[in-house]
Amino acid sequence: MNNLFVRKFLFCAACVLAGWIAAFAMPPASLWPCMFLGLSALYWLFSKTETAGQAFASGFFFALGYFVTGLWWIGNALLVEGNDFAWVWPISVIGLPTLLALFTGTYLAIARIAFPPQSLKGFLSFAFLLTVSEWARGNAFTGFPWNLFGYVWADHLAMAQSAHYLGAYGLTLV
């Protein structure tokens, strides 16, 4: 097997794993440290990228792992007995997360182009553009603002109350 292929596969698998871990920060698990672990792993993987294409892949595969795990219930709801729309199950389980992952991947590619990831400006552009990707996902094409990273704070009263001033996207930036 080609060594380059193995490295690319492991990189993509690590991104999916980071997204999978981050999804456990959301209810019903509500393990908020998982969001920090997942996003930290994403930034570390993102900082290893050399091109915008690799940065896109890091964001895309992270978001794919995150949304497949966090939105599993949509597909489950289609498997109710007598449901005439059960044929949509594969689209809801893979198609929707894939579409949503395009937002994260695109904005991380822009972040990679803007500044080198290993700098303070690179880190700040990563955080800012990740938040912008959440905003775009929540507003473009009628929007889908579910599973925003900022929702992790919903069970923590002090942080949840700051949403009054910051909004959900401000909490995502935090």
Side-chain angles (χ1 to χ4, degrees):
M1 218 182 225
N2 186 346
N3 190 26
L4 180 61
F5 173 79
V6 171
R7 285 188 301 158
K8 287 181 179 182
F9 175 79
L10 291 175
F11 177 80
C12 293
C15 292
V16 169
L17 180 63
W20 178 77
I21 289 169
F24 284 99
M26 297 295 172
S30 297
L31 301 171
W32 64 268
C34 289
M35 184 62 72
F36 291 104
L37 184 61
L39 287 176
S40 296
L42 173 61
Y43 180 72
W44 182 77
L45 291 162
F46 170 75
S47 71
K48 301 297 180 191
T49 63
E50 296 175 2
T51 66
Q54 292 172 349
F56 175 87
S58 70
F60 179 83
F61 286 108
F62 171 86
L64 192 63
Y66 180 74
F67 289 121
V68 166
T69 305
L71 300 175
W72 63 271
W73 59 270
I74 293 175
N76 203 31
L78 294 170
L79 297 179
V80 175
E81 186 177 334
N83 187 347
D84 294 334
F85 298 102
W87 63 271
V88 181
W89 185 84
I91 296 170
S92 68
V93 172
I94 298 298
L96 179 61
T98 300
L99 181 65
L100 298 175
L102 291 173
F103 286 95
T104 308
T106 300
Y107 283 91
L108 287 190
I110 294 169
R112 180 67 179 89
I113 292 168
F115 297 104
Q118 298 86 358
S119 67
L120 178 61
K121 287 181 181 179
F123 174 75
L124 294 176
S125 72
F126 168 84
F128 176 73
L129 287 170
L130 195 60
T131 302
V132 172
S133 78
E134 293 276 284
W135 179 86
R137 180 173 58 85
N139 290 285
F141 311 116
T142 72
F144 194 83
W146 293 13
N147 284 16
L148 297 177
F149 300 141
Y151 291 167
V152 74
W153 299 112
D155 291 338
H156 306 283
L157 188 59
M159 286 301 291
Q161 287 181 340
S162 67
H164 173 75
Y165 300 104
L166 302 174
Y169 299 112
L171 290 180
T172 293
L173 184 61
V174 169

